[in-house]
Amino acid sequence: EIPRCVVENIRNTTAPPSRWTSNSLEDFSLFVILNLAQWPVSKDALIGAGAVDVIKPIMSEGDLQGLKATMACAFLDAKWEDFPDGGAPASKSVSELMTNIVEKKGKDGQYAYGVFKLYTATKAYRDLAVSAVESGSANTKALATPSSVALCLQVVSDLVLAAVDDAEGGSKYVPDAMSAEYAVGAIEAMLPAILDEADPPRVSVQSEKAAGEVAQMLLTYSDISGTSATAKASAKKSADEIKAAGGSARPILEISHDLWTQYRKREGQPLDQFISQERGIEVDESGPLDFLPCVNSSGETSCTIL
């Protein structure tokens, strides 16, 4: 009865969302919908009550009510076409919410820190990404901005550092296990855009390094005790696809990796934590390896044997 009741409260209101006051019937009802939409039984009840059609127009408001409606629609499996302007406003507002939560701040005139939990924001972003990719892989470009991808990497790696006993450094915000799982799910869904090749295609050492380090971080995450079977499978699948894509230039992956690295530097985290141990050995061309074609145009000789 509660799901149907709160949906009817919004369906029957005559006041526009911009006029809803804090803790008004409409404001309270939308917040209840947002919370109930995250749980399977109540989610089904809300869908049955027609919640998506009722709250979908609120997404265009662009304020706190628009943010709540956007996340609720994501939880309720709204179609990608339901999100205004190709999903760009949804991506921006939810990504901003995730950033504010990990930085322990609110947004002036909309919400204070602590009102929303990180697992709520990361789940919304994951569900948006899933909706986008199910509607067509090209749609993930609206979500896979380098800053958003880097934030997802940050959430996962911060949990890994907190879980690994011998890791140095840390974060001012330690994510919960569910937030990390949702971030991994978002990364997997956004892979078509993250791994989009440069035009024209070219070889890139930076992309190869980024692919190796991100893949290793995801594999490390998959081995953490307590990680769910679903999260393990998602992390391993993503790691395999990312590692296989190394070599060719992947601009979004490169920039995302760079932003993630900058964050870890600021936090004083070890930058070699996720570097693969499979390293090359520097040799020169003289001696028994002189059959190798390692001479460059200047006459210098150097080879790397993997």
Side-chain angles (χ1 to χ4, degrees):
E1 285 297 313
I2 292 176
R4 184 186 61 79
C5 181
V6 290
V7 170
E8 288 304 311
N9 287 340
I10 296 178
R11 192 196 304 273
N12 296 330
T13 186
T14 57
S18 59
R19 301 289 299 274
W20 297 353
T21 58
S22 179
N23 292 323
S24 64
L25 179 62
E26 297 90 347
D27 176 69
F28 175 77
S29 296
L30 183 55
F31 201 80
V32 171
I33 290 173
L34 174 61
N35 282 278
L36 293 179
Q38 298 178 61
W39 310 105
V41 175
S42 49
K43 169 184 172 178
D44 291 342
L46 286 168
I47 292 175
V52 172
D53 289 337
V54 171
I55 65 176
K56 184 167 59 176
I58 304 173
M59 289 195 284
S60 300
E61 291 296 316
D63 54 8
L64 175 59
Q65 307 302 349
L67 173 62
K68 290 191 292 187
T70 295
M71 291 195 291
C73 282
F75 297 150
L76 295 171
D77 302 330
K79 295 179 180 179
W80 184 244
E81 293 73 19
D82 291 332
F83 297 96
D85 301 326
S91 171
K92 181 180 178 181
S93 62
V94 179
S95 177
E96 181 184 40
L97 175 61
M98 290 193 296
T99 301
N100 288 340
I101 293 171
V102 299
E103 294 183 355
K104 296 187 175 181
K105 65 182 184 182
K107 184 174 182 180
D108 290 344
Q110 292 200 25
Y111 53 83
Y113 170 70
V115 172
F116 297 107
K117 302 300 181 184
L118 184 60
Y119 60 76
T120 299
T122 51
K123 176 174 169 54
Y125 212 76
R126 190 277 308 269
D127 290 353
L128 282 170
V130 169
S131 178
V133 75
E134 287 180 347
S135 183
S137 60
N139 293 320
T140 59
K141 291 181 179 180
L143 292 146
T145 61
S147 58
S148 299
V149 175
L151 183 58
C152 289
L153 295 175
Q154 172 186 326
V155 170
V156 182
S157 66
D158 279 350
L159 181 72
V160 171
L161 287 178
V164 177
D165 293 336
D166 59 352
E168 299 176 1
S171 169
K172 62 184 178 181
Y173 188 99
V174 179
D176 58 279
M178 290 305 299
S179 295
E181 178 170 339
Y182 294 140
V184 168
I187 291 169
E188 180 185 11
M190 293 188 292
L191 282 180
I194 295 174
L195 300 181
D196 195 26
E197 277 194 288
D199 186 16
R202 56 184 171 81
V203 174
S204 170
V205 175
Q206 290 82 2
S207 283
E208 187 170 7
K209 177 185 176 183
E213 196 166 357
V214 171
Q216 185 60 45
M217 187 272 289
L218 291 171
L219 290 175
T220 304
Y221 164 76
S222 70
D223 288 335
I224 292 176
S225 176
T227 302
S228 72
T230 299
K232 284 179 182 288
S234 180
K236 289 179 178 178
K237 179 176 181 292
S238 298
D240 288 344
E241 290 189 31
I242 291 170
K243 191 170 183 179
S248 297
R250 317 281 175 173
I252 293 177
L253 177 64
E254 280 187 29
I255 301 171
S256 302
H257 174 265
D258 185 56
L259 293 174
W260 176 47
T261 301
Q262 290 177 29
Y263 161 76
R264 290 185 291 154
K265 284 181 180 179
R266 292 195 303 270
E267 293 294 314
Q269 297 178 0
L271 298 182
D272 60 351
Q273 185 74 25
F274 306 115
I275 294 178
S276 173
Q277 297 304 307
E278 300 175 1
R279 298 182 179 181
I281 303 170
E282 292 294 330
V283 299
D284 63 36
E285 194 193 31
S286 61
L289 298 177
D290 58 3
F291 63 92
L292 294 172
C294 302
V295 180
N296 60 25
S297 58
S298 65
E300 296 175 347
T301 62
S302 178
C303 291
T304 299
I305 307 301
L306 295 177

Coordinates of all heavy atoms in Angstrom, one line a residue, residues 83-152:
F83 N 15.2 9.6 -20.1 CA 16.1 10.6 -19.5 C 16.3 11.7 -20.5 O 16.7 11.5 -21.6 CB 17.4 10.0 -19.1 CG 17.3 8.9 -18.1 CD1 17.3 7.5 -18.4 CD2 17.2 9.2 -16.7 CE1 17.1 6.5 -17.5 CE2 17.0 8.2 -15.7 CZ 17.0 6.9 -16.1
P84 N 16.0 13.0 -20.0 CA 16.1 14.1 -20.9 C 17.5 14.4 -21.5 O 18.5 14.0 -21.0 CB 15.7 15.3 -19.9 CG 15.0 14.7 -18.8 CD 15.7 13.3 -18.6
D85 N 17.4 15.0 -22.7 CA 18.6 15.5 -23.4 C 19.7 14.4 -23.5 O 20.9 14.6 -23.3 CB 19.2 16.7 -22.7 CG 18.2 17.8 -22.6 OD1 17.4 18.0 -23.6 OD2 18.2 18.6 -21.6
G86 N 19.3 13.2 -23.9 CA 20.3 12.1 -24.2 C 21.0 11.7 -22.9 O 22.1 11.1 -23.0
G87 N 20.5 11.9 -21.7 CA 21.1 11.4 -20.5 C 22.2 12.3 -19.9 O 22.7 12.0 -18.9
A88 N 22.5 13.4 -20.6 CA 23.6 14.2 -20.2 C 23.3 14.9 -18.8 O 24.2 14.9 -17.9 CB 23.9 15.3 -21.2
P89 N 22.1 15.5 -18.6 CA 21.9 16.0 -17.3 C 21.9 15.0 -16.2 O 22.4 15.3 -15.1 CB 20.5 16.7 -17.4 CG 20.3 16.9 -18.9 CD 21.0 15.7 -19.5
A90 N 21.4 13.8 -16.5 CA 21.4 12.7 -15.5 C 22.8 12.3 -15.1 O 23.1 12.2 -13.9 CB 20.6 11.5 -16.0
S91 N 23.6 12.2 -16.1 CA 25.0 11.8 -15.9 C 25.7 12.9 -15.0 O 26.4 12.6 -14.0 CB 25.8 11.7 -17.2 OG 27.2 11.5 -17.0
K92 N 25.5 14.1 -15.4 CA 26.2 15.2 -14.7 C 25.8 15.3 -13.2 O 26.6 15.5 -12.3 CB 25.9 16.6 -15.4 CG 26.6 17.7 -14.7 CD 26.3 19.0 -15.5 CE 26.9 20.2 -14.8 NZ 26.6 21.5 -15.5
S93 N 24.5 15.3 -13.0 CA 23.9 15.5 -11.6 C 24.3 14.3 -10.7 O 24.7 14.5 -9.5 CB 22.4 15.7 -11.6 OG 21.8 14.5 -12.1
V94 N 24.3 13.1 -11.2 CA 24.6 11.9 -10.3 C 26.1 11.8 -10.1 O 26.6 11.5 -9.0 CB 24.0 10.6 -10.9 CG1 24.4 9.4 -10.0 CG2 22.5 10.7 -11.0
S95 N 26.9 12.1 -11.1 CA 28.3 12.1 -11.0 C 28.8 13.2 -10.0 O 29.7 13.0 -9.1 CB 29.0 12.4 -12.3 OG 30.4 12.5 -12.2
E96 N 28.1 14.4 -10.1 CA 28.4 15.4 -9.1 C 28.1 15.0 -7.7 O 28.8 15.3 -6.7 CB 27.6 16.7 -9.5 CG 27.9 17.9 -8.6 CD 27.0 19.1 -8.9 OE1 25.8 18.9 -9.2 OE2 27.5 20.2 -8.8
L97 N 27.0 14.3 -7.5 CA 26.6 13.8 -6.2 C 27.6 12.9 -5.7 O 28.0 12.9 -4.5 CB 25.2 13.1 -6.3 CG 24.7 12.5 -5.0 CD1 24.6 13.5 -3.8 CD2 23.4 11.7 -5.2
M98 N 28.1 11.9 -6.5 CA 29.1 11.0 -6.1 C 30.4 11.8 -5.6 O 31.0 11.4 -4.6 CB 29.5 10.0 -7.2 CG 28.4 9.0 -7.5 SD 29.0 7.7 -8.6 CE 29.5 8.5 -10.1
T99 N 30.8 12.7 -6.4 CA 32.0 13.5 -6.1 C 31.8 14.3 -4.7 O 32.7 14.3 -3.9 CB 32.3 14.6 -7.2 OG1 32.5 13.9 -8.4 CG2 33.5 15.4 -6.8
N100 N 30.6 14.9 -4.5 CA 30.4 15.6 -3.3 C 30.4 14.7 -2.1 O 30.9 15.1 -1.0 CB 29.1 16.3 -3.4 CG 29.1 17.5 -4.3 OD1 30.2 18.1 -4.6 ND2 28.0 18.0 -4.8
I101 N 29.9 13.5 -2.2 CA 29.9 12.5 -1.1 C 31.3 12.1 -0.7 O 31.6 12.1 0.5 CB 29.0 11.3 -1.5 CG1 27.6 11.7 -1.6 CG2 29.2 10.2 -0.4 CD1 26.7 10.6 -2.1
V102 N 32.1 11.8 -1.7 CA 33.5 11.3 -1.4 C 34.3 12.5 -0.9 O 35.3 12.3 -0.1 CB 34.2 10.6 -2.5 CG1 33.4 9.4 -3.0 CG2 34.4 11.6 -3.7
E103 N 34.0 13.7 -1.2 CA 34.7 14.9 -0.7 C 34.0 15.5 0.5 O 34.5 16.5 1.0 CB 34.7 16.0 -1.8 CG 35.6 15.6 -3.0 CD 35.7 16.6 -4.1 OE1 35.1 17.7 -3.9 OE2 36.5 16.4 -5.0
K104 N 33.0 14.8 1.0 CA 32.3 15.1 2.2 C 31.8 16.6 2.2 O 32.0 17.4 3.1 CB 33.3 14.9 3.4 CG 33.7 13.5 3.7 CD 34.5 13.3 4.9 CE 34.8 11.8 5.2 NZ 35.5 11.6 6.5
K105 N 31.0 16.8 1.2 CA 30.4 18.2 1.1 C 29.0 18.0 0.5 O 28.7 17.0 -0.2 CB 31.3 19.1 0.3 CG 31.4 18.8 -1.1 CD 32.3 19.8 -1.8 CE 32.5 19.5 -3.3 NZ 33.4 20.4 -4.0
G106 N 28.2 19.1 0.7 CA 26.9 19.1 0.1 C 26.8 20.0 -1.1 O 27.9 20.3 -1.7
K107 N 25.6 20.4 -1.5 CA 25.5 21.3 -2.6 C 24.6 22.5 -2.2 O 23.5 22.2 -1.7 CB 24.9 20.7 -3.9 CG 24.8 21.6 -5.1 CD 24.4 20.8 -6.3 CE 24.4 21.8 -7.5 NZ 23.9 21.1 -8.8
D108 N 25.1 23.7 -2.3 CA 24.4 24.8 -1.7 C 23.0 24.9 -2.3 O 22.8 24.8 -3.5 CB 25.1 26.1 -2.1 CG 26.4 26.3 -1.3 OD1 26.6 25.6 -0.3 OD2 27.3 27.1 -1.7
G109 N 22.0 25.1 -1.4 CA 20.6 25.2 -1.8 C 19.9 24.0 -2.2 O 18.7 24.0 -2.6
Q110 N 20.6 22.8 -2.2 CA 20.0 21.6 -2.6 C 20.0 20.5 -1.5 O 19.0 20.0 -1.0 CB 20.6 21.1 -3.9 CG 20.2 21.9 -5.1 CD 20.4 21.2 -6.4 OE1 20.3 20.0 -6.5 NE2 20.6 22.0 -7.5
Y111 N 21.2 20.1 -1.1 CA 21.3 19.1 -0.1 C 22.6 19.2 0.7 O 23.6 19.8 0.3 CB 21.4 17.7 -0.8 CG 22.4 17.5 -1.9 CD1 23.7 17.2 -1.6 CD2 22.0 17.6 -3.2 CE1 24.6 17.0 -2.6 CE2 22.9 17.5 -4.2 CZ 24.3 17.1 -3.9 OH 25.2 17.0 -4.9
A112 N 22.6 18.8 2.0 CA 23.7 18.8 2.8 C 24.4 17.5 2.8 O 23.9 16.5 2.3 CB 23.2 19.1 4.3
Y113 N 25.7 17.5 3.2 CA 26.5 16.3 3.2 C 25.8 15.3 4.2 O 25.4 15.7 5.3 CB 27.9 16.5 3.7 CG 28.7 15.2 3.9 CD1 29.0 14.4 2.9 CD2 29.0 14.9 5.2 CE1 29.7 13.2 3.1 CE2 29.7 13.7 5.5 CZ 30.0 12.9 4.4 OH 30.7 11.7 4.7
G114 N 25.7 14.1 3.8 CA 25.1 13.1 4.7 C 23.6 12.7 4.3 O 23.1 11.7 4.8
V115 N 23.0 13.6 3.5 CA 21.6 13.3 3.1 C 21.5 12.1 2.2 O 20.7 11.2 2.3 CB 21.0 14.5 2.4 CG1 19.6 14.2 1.8 CG2 20.9 15.7 3.3
F116 N 22.5 12.0 1.3 CA 22.6 10.8 0.4 C 23.8 10.0 0.7 O 24.9 10.5 1.1 CB 22.7 11.3 -1.1 CG 21.5 12.0 -1.5 CD1 21.5 13.4 -1.7 CD2 20.3 11.4 -1.8 CE1 20.4 14.1 -2.2 CE2 19.2 12.1 -2.2 CZ 19.2 13.4 -2.4
K117 N 23.7 8.7 0.6 CA 24.8 7.7 0.8 C 25.5 7.4 -0.5 O 24.9 7.5 -1.5 CB 24.2 6.4 1.5 CG 23.5 6.6 2.8 CD 24.4 7.3 3.8 CE 23.6 7.5 5.2 NZ 24.4 8.2 6.2
L118 N 26.8 7.1 -0.4 CA 27.5 6.8 -1.6 C 26.9 5.6 -2.3 O 26.9 5.6 -3.6 CB 29.0 6.5 -1.2 CG 29.9 6.3 -2.4 CD1 29.9 7.5 -3.3 CD2 31.4 6.0 -1.9
Y119 N 26.5 4.6 -1.6 CA 25.9 3.4 -2.3 C 24.7 3.7 -3.1 O 24.3 3.1 -4.1 CB 25.7 2.2 -1.3 CG 24.7 2.5 -0.2 CD1 23.3 2.5 -0.4 CD2 25.1 2.7 1.1 CE1 22.4 2.7 0.6 CE2 24.3 2.9 2.1 CZ 22.9 2.9 1.9 OH 22.0 3.2 2.9
T120 N 23.9 4.8 -2.6 CA 22.8 5.2 -3.4 C 23.2 5.9 -4.7 O 22.7 5.6 -5.8 CB 21.9 6.2 -2.6 OG1 21.4 5.6 -1.4 CG2 20.7 6.7 -3.4
A121 N 24.2 6.7 -4.6 CA 24.7 7.5 -5.8 C 25.4 6.5 -6.8 O 25.1 6.6 -8.0 CB 25.6 8.6 -5.4
T122 N 26.2 5.6 -6.3 CA 26.9 4.7 -7.2 C 26.0 3.7 -7.9 O 26.1 3.3 -9.0 CB 28.0 3.9 -6.5 OG1 27.5 3.3 -5.3 CG2 29.2 4.9 -6.1
K123 N 24.9 3.3 -7.1 CA 23.9 2.4 -7.7 C 23.2 3.1 -8.8 O 22.9 2.5 -9.9 CB 23.0 1.9 -6.6 CG 21.8 1.0 -7.2 CD 21.0 0.4 -6.1 CE 19.7 -0.2 -6.6 NZ 19.9 -1.2 -7.6
A124 N 22.8 4.4 -8.6 CA 22.1 5.1 -9.6 C 23.0 5.3 -10.8 O 22.5 5.1 -12.0 CB 21.8 6.5 -9.0
Y125 N 24.3 5.5 -10.6 CA 25.1 5.7 -11.8 C 25.3 4.3 -12.6 O 25.3 4.3 -13.8 CB 26.5 6.2 -11.4 CG 27.2 7.1 -12.5 CD1 26.7 8.4 -12.7 CD2 28.2 6.6 -13.3 CE1 27.2 9.2 -13.6 CE2 28.7 7.4 -14.3 CZ 28.3 8.7 -14.4 OH 28.8 9.5 -15.4
R126 N 25.4 3.3 -11.8 CA 25.5 1.9 -12.4 C 24.2 1.6 -13.2 O 24.3 1.2 -14.4 CB 25.7 0.9 -11.3 CG 26.0 -0.6 -11.8 CD 24.8 -1.4 -12.2 NE 23.8 -1.4 -11.2 CZ 23.6 -2.3 -10.2 NH1 24.5 -3.3 -10.1 NH2 22.6 -2.3 -9.4
D127 N 23.1 1.9 -12.6 CA 21.8 1.7 -13.3 C 21.6 2.5 -14.5 O 21.0 2.1 -15.5 CB 20.6 1.8 -12.3 CG 20.6 0.7 -11.3 OD1 21.4 -0.2 -11.4 OD2 19.8 0.8 -10.3
L128 N 22.1 3.8 -14.5 CA 22.1 4.7 -15.6 C 22.9 4.1 -16.8 O 22.5 4.0 -17.9 CB 22.6 6.1 -15.3 CG 21.6 7.0 -14.6 CD1 22.4 8.2 -14.1 CD2 20.4 7.4 -15.4
A129 N 24.1 3.6 -16.4 CA 25.0 3.0 -17.4 C 24.4 1.8 -18.0 O 24.6 1.5 -19.2 CB 26.4 2.7 -16.7
V130 N 23.8 0.9 -17.2 CA 23.2 -0.3 -17.7 C 22.0 0.1 -18.7 O 21.9 -0.5 -19.8 CB 22.6 -1.2 -16.6 CG1 21.8 -2.3 -17.1 CG2 23.8 -1.7 -15.8
S131 N 21.2 1.1 -18.3 CA 20.1 1.5 -19.2 C 20.7 2.0 -20.5 O 20.1 1.8 -21.6 CB 19.3 2.6 -18.5 OG 18.3 3.1 -19.3
A132 N 21.8 2.8 -20.4 CA 22.4 3.4 -21.6 C 22.9 2.3 -22.6 O 22.6 2.3 -23.8 CB 23.5 4.3 -21.2
V133 N 23.7 1.3 -22.0 CA 24.3 0.3 -22.9 C 23.2 -0.7 -23.5 O 23.4 -1.2 -24.6 CB 25.4 -0.5 -22.1 CG1 24.8 -1.5 -21.1 CG2 26.3 -1.2 -23.1
E134 N 22.2 -0.9 -22.7 CA 21.1 -1.7 -23.2 C 20.3 -1.1 -24.4 O 19.7 -1.8 -25.2 CB 20.1 -2.1 -22.1 CG 20.7 -3.1 -21.1 CD 19.7 -3.5 -20.0 OE1 18.7 -2.7 -19.8 OE2 20.0 -4.4 -19.2
S135 N 20.4 0.2 -24.4 CA 19.7 1.0 -25.5 C 20.6 1.2 -26.7 O 20.2 1.6 -27.7 CB 19.2 2.3 -25.0 OG 18.5 3.0 -26.0
G136 N 21.9 0.8 -26.5 CA 22.9 1.0 -27.6 C 24.2 1.5 -27.0 O 24.2 2.4 -26.3
S137 N 25.3 0.8 -27.4 CA 26.6 1.1 -26.7 C 27.0 2.5 -26.9 O 27.7 3.1 -26.1 CB 27.6 0.1 -27.3 OG 27.8 0.3 -28.7
A138 N 26.6 3.2 -28.0 CA 27.0 4.6 -28.2 C 26.5 5.5 -27.1 O 27.1 6.6 -26.9 CB 26.5 5.0 -29.6
N139 N 25.4 5.1 -26.5 CA 24.8 6.0 -25.5 C 25.7 6.1 -24.2 O 25.5 7.0 -23.4 CB 23.4 5.4 -25.1 CG 22.4 5.5 -26.2 OD1 22.4 6.5 -26.9 ND2 21.6 4.5 -26.4
T140 N 26.6 5.1 -24.0 CA 27.4 5.2 -22.8 C 28.4 6.4 -22.8 O 29.0 6.7 -21.8 CB 28.2 3.9 -22.7 OG1 29.1 3.7 -23.8 CG2 27.3 2.7 -22.5
K141 N 28.6 7.0 -24.0 CA 29.5 8.2 -24.1 C 29.0 9.3 -23.2 O 29.8 10.1 -22.7 CB 29.6 8.6 -25.5 CG 30.3 7.7 -26.4 CD 30.4 8.2 -27.8 CE 31.2 7.2 -28.7 NZ 31.3 7.7 -30.1
A142 N 27.7 9.4 -23.0 CA 27.1 10.4 -22.1 C 27.5 10.3 -20.7 O 27.6 11.3 -19.9 CB 25.6 10.5 -22.2
L143 N 27.8 9.0 -20.3 CA 28.2 8.8 -18.9 C 29.7 8.6 -18.7 O 30.2 9.0 -17.6 CB 27.5 7.5 -18.4 CG 26.0 7.6 -18.3 CD1 25.3 6.3 -18.7 CD2 25.6 8.0 -16.9
A144 N 30.4 8.1 -19.7 CA 31.8 7.8 -19.6 C 32.7 9.0 -19.8 O 33.6 9.0 -20.6 CB 32.2 6.6 -20.5
T145 N 32.4 10.1 -19.1 CA 33.4 11.2 -19.1 C 34.6 10.8 -18.3 O 34.5 10.0 -17.3 CB 32.7 12.4 -18.5 OG1 32.4 12.2 -17.1 CG2 31.5 12.8 -19.3
P146 N 35.8 11.3 -18.6 CA 37.0 10.9 -17.8 C 36.9 11.1 -16.3 O 37.3 10.3 -15.5 CB 38.1 11.8 -18.5 CG 37.6 11.9 -19.9 CD 36.1 12.1 -19.8
S147 N 36.2 12.2 -15.9 CA 36.1 12.5 -14.5 C 35.2 11.5 -13.8 O 35.5 11.1 -12.7 CB 35.6 13.9 -14.3 OG 34.3 14.1 -14.9
S148 N 34.2 11.1 -14.5 CA 33.3 10.1 -13.9 C 33.9 8.7 -13.8 O 33.8 8.0 -12.8 CB 32.0 10.0 -14.7 OG 31.3 11.2 -14.6
V149 N 34.6 8.3 -14.9 CA 35.3 7.0 -14.9 C 36.4 7.0 -13.8 O 36.5 6.0 -13.1 CB 35.9 6.8 -16.3 CG1 36.7 5.5 -16.3 CG2 34.8 6.7 -17.3
A150 N 37.1 8.1 -13.7 CA 38.2 8.2 -12.7 C 37.6 8.1 -11.3 O 38.2 7.5 -10.4 CB 39.0 9.5 -12.9
L151 N 36.4 8.7 -11.1 CA 35.8 8.6 -9.8 C 35.4 7.2 -9.5 O 35.6 6.7 -8.3 CB 34.5 9.5 -9.8 CG 33.8 9.6 -8.5 CD1 34.7 10.1 -7.3 CD2 32.6 10.5 -8.6
C152 N 34.9 6.4 -10.4 CA 34.6 5.0 -10.2 C 35.8 4.2 -9.9 O 35.8 3.4 -9.0 CB 33.9 4.4 -11.4 SG 32.2 5.0 -11.7

